[in-house]
Amino acid sequence: MSDLAAVSSYWLLFAKGLGTTIWISWLALLIGSVVGGILAHLRLVPARPVRAVVVGYVELFRSIPPLMLFFGSYYGVSYALGLNLSPFVAATVALSLHASSMMSEVIRGGLQSVDSGQWAAGRASGMTNLQILSLVVWPQSFRVALPPAVGVYIATLKDTAVASVIGYVELTRSGLIVRENTGSSFLVFVIIAAMYFVVCYAISQLGAYWERRFRIVGHK
Amino acid sequence: MYEFNLAALKGYIAALPPALAATVWLSLLAIVCSLALGIVLALMRTNTNRLLRIVGGTYVEVLRNVPLLIIIYLFFFGLPAVGLRLSGWQTSFLALTFASAAYMAEIVRGGLAGVGPGQYEAARSQGMGAFQLYGYVVLPQVIRIAYAPFGNMCVAIVLGSSLASVVGVEEVTTWMHSAGSGSFRYLEAFTVAALAYVVLAQAINGLRIATGRWLLRHRNPGAPL
């Protein structure tokens, strides 16, 4: 019981840690979506070399464990370029690299779900490619890409825990700090696990609601 | 200008094959055990018994929504406090297996959901027993649906195994960190380790695609899946 009192006196650190976790996960999602979106559209380009570079990027960063990306962007860059990135910048870079490769696949799936007849119909109506994209393709692909995009966000949020190994003080690092100060390991990690669970579960429920709401009749 | 020099890693290269073997071995064991546990969980979630459904469903939801690293820390730092001391390897194997089983359960459940009730009725009306029903009718269809997400899950497990380095398991990520900081050639060590993971992941992808071709070899091209 004294354990609980000791650990709960650190509630502010837990709360700050959770805030930091959510903030950096959003930042990584935002950068990942923009970069991933650009990559997904580049895969529609007819030029083969362009598509090959995009496929290479996506396959590369999907195949490297997030922990290695954290190590690489934190230690690798500092050893190689003598450039000392802060844990925050290194973590954002690592998370964004991984998230952008996953997001690119999600957005590509959305774009490809739009039948080629829609493109043909757009051209036949005298629309430019940009008009077809923004008025015909995007609104339809959005509904397909949204549920898996929520999955990518949850994966990214869980990956932020790994940022603790390069010393970025988010929720997991806060837990390690409280553990050192109170010596109460089991309780601390149960609390941290519960906090991650509540956030991720709430987001997944929101995603499930959107999936029902935006379901396309006859799709899947 | 930074000079990329792989030769600087010479003294560390001998430690790479055992590290690679550790990554492969840990991943392989976790894949097999999480699949077995995942099948049990999927059968619980589709069971007529309500209690089993609730237990299976709760397991899947909790383990899918907590980061693997937290499960590793909970086992490694938390369990000794309640009297159970696990080694780094045991910790990462168990955490990886328990976390992945939740995803495996969903993959198996998705496969089972793809087999309509008509299939069961048709098999029973042909006089098939449980063994024939599952062996000849249900399982082949489940495999056709589940092999692709299973392949992706195997890649995810290989990537997840890198977290074993946090609790001191000598695998590829540990090798990279010690070779990189020992030789002051971190970027080179990163490149070699990244190459190892990319080769592993692409090998699994290749297997997955080949399996798909083999499973669907009798299907007419262009027929709906």
Side-chain angles (χ1 to χ4, degrees):
Chain A
M1 213 49 222
S2 61
D3 260 15
L4 189 61
V7 171
S8 56
S9 68
Y10 287 93
W11 68 271
L12 191 62
L13 193 61
F14 283 120
K16 271 190 187 158
L18 183 63
T20 312
T21 285
I22 291 172
W23 144 240
I24 197 169
S25 67
W26 267 105
L27 190 62
L29 179 74
L30 188 70
I31 300 173
S33 302
V34 172
V35 176
I38 293 170
L39 291 172
H41 284 84
L42 283 176
R43 279 187 91 159
L44 301 175
V45 170
R48 259 193 114 107
V50 177
R51 278 182 299 166
V53 169
V54 174
V55 172
Y57 175 98
V58 171
E59 287 302 323
L60 184 66
F61 290 111
R62 276 207 311 176
S63 307
I64 300 180
L67 176 60
M68 270 193 54
L69 294 176
F70 283 107
F71 276 152
S73 59
Y74 190 59
Y75 298 107
V77 169
S78 105
Y79 276 101
L81 308 173
L83 195 70
N84 280 319
L85 298 183
S86 70
F88 167 70
V89 175
T92 307
V93 169
L95 285 168
S96 303
L97 285 173
H98 199 64
S100 63
S101 68
M102 292 194 290
M103 215 51 178
S104 140
E105 288 297 278
V106 166
I107 296 171
R108 183 174 73 104
L111 292 174
Q112 282 183 341
S113 75
V114 179
D115 192 83
S116 62
Q118 303 271 331
W119 283 89
R123 278 195 211 101
S125 315
M127 293 167 101
T128 65
N129 277 341
L130 196 65
Q131 281 175 318
I132 300 173
L133 263 182
S134 58
L135 299 173
V136 179
V137 176
W138 284 346
Q140 296 184 69
S141 55
F142 173 76
R143 301 166 78 172
V144 176
L146 190 63
V150 174
V152 170
Y153 177 59
I154 293 175
T156 304
L157 200 146
K158 291 200 296 175
D159 284 340
T160 62
V162 185
S164 61
V165 296
I166 56 166
Y168 184 59
V169 186
E170 36 63 71
L171 185 53
T172 304
R173 193 83 208 172
S174 308
L176 289 165
I177 293 169
V178 177
R179 181 186 101 85
E180 273 166 34
N181 290 351
T182 62
S184 170
S185 303
F186 190 73
L187 185 62
V188 166
F189 285 111
V190 168
I191 292 173
I192 297 284
M195 289 171 83
Y196 277 110
F197 171 76
V198 168
V199 175
C200 292
Y201 187 70
I203 295 165
S204 75
Q205 291 305 104
L206 186 66
Y209 167 73
W210 280 342
E211 199 171 344
R212 287 194 300 274
R213 180 109 205 282
F214 292 113
R215 173 164 296 145
I216 298 165
V217 179
H219 187 268
K220 257 195 202 165
Chain B
M1 187 57 204
Y2 185 75
E3 213 174 293
F4 197 80
N5 181 11
L6 276 177
L9 291 176
K10 219 170 160 190
Y12 298 89
I13 220 72
L16 184 59
L20 198 59
T23 290
V24 171
W25 176 234
L26 176 62
S27 309
L28 210 57
L29 273 187
I31 288 169
V32 172
C33 296
S34 65
L35 178 63
L37 184 54
I39 291 172
V40 173
L41 287 165
L43 293 176
M44 283 171 78
R45 291 198 76 176
T46 49
N47 204 282
T48 44
N49 184 323
R50 192 152 171 256
L51 184 69
L52 286 180
R53 281 207 310 272
I54 293 174
V55 172
T58 309
Y59 179 98
V60 169
E61 287 303 339
V62 169
L63 272 289
R64 278 203 312 174
N65 286 308
V66 174
L68 177 59
L69 184 62
I70 301 298
I71 302 170
I72 289 176
Y73 281 151
L74 186 65
F75 284 7
F76 196 67
F77 295 128
L79 288 186
V82 289
L84 186 61
R85 194 168 294 278
L86 297 172
S87 73
W89 197 92
Q90 291 164 336
T91 300
S92 15
F93 164 68
L94 287 177
L96 199 53
T97 299
F98 287 148
S100 311
Y103 292 92
M104 290 291 193
E106 287 299 272
I107 292 168
V108 175
R109 193 170 71 115
L112 286 172
V115 185
Q119 299 280 327
Y120 292 84
E121 286 157 14
R124 287 217 186 83
S125 72
Q126 300 285 321
M128 287 188 172
F131 181 78
Q132 287 170 313
L133 164 65
Y134 281 98
Y136 296 126
V137 180
V138 179
L139 197 61
Q141 297 187 65
V142 170
I143 290 174
R144 279 185 194 180
I145 298 170
Y147 81 92
F150 174 75
N152 291 334
M153 193 57 219
C154 292
V155 174
I157 289 176
V158 171
L159 301 197
S161 76
S162 76
L163 289 181
S165 66
V166 176
V167 287
V169 177
E170 302 267 339
E171 43 71 75
V172 175
T173 306
T174 313
W175 176 86
M176 171 193 78
H177 197 52
S178 54
S181 33
S183 65
F184 296 99
R185 289 280 161 182
Y186 211 96
L187 209 59
E188 285 83 344
F190 179 87
T191 309
V192 172
L195 190 70
Y197 281 109
V198 170
V199 167
L200 282 178
Q202 293 307 324
I204 294 171
N205 280 342
L207 271 177
R208 190 198 70 210
I209 292 164
T211 308
R213 287 223 183 93
W214 183 76
L215 284 173
L216 305 175
R217 66 196 180 284
H218 302 306
R219 215 176 273 273
N220 306 327
L225 207 70

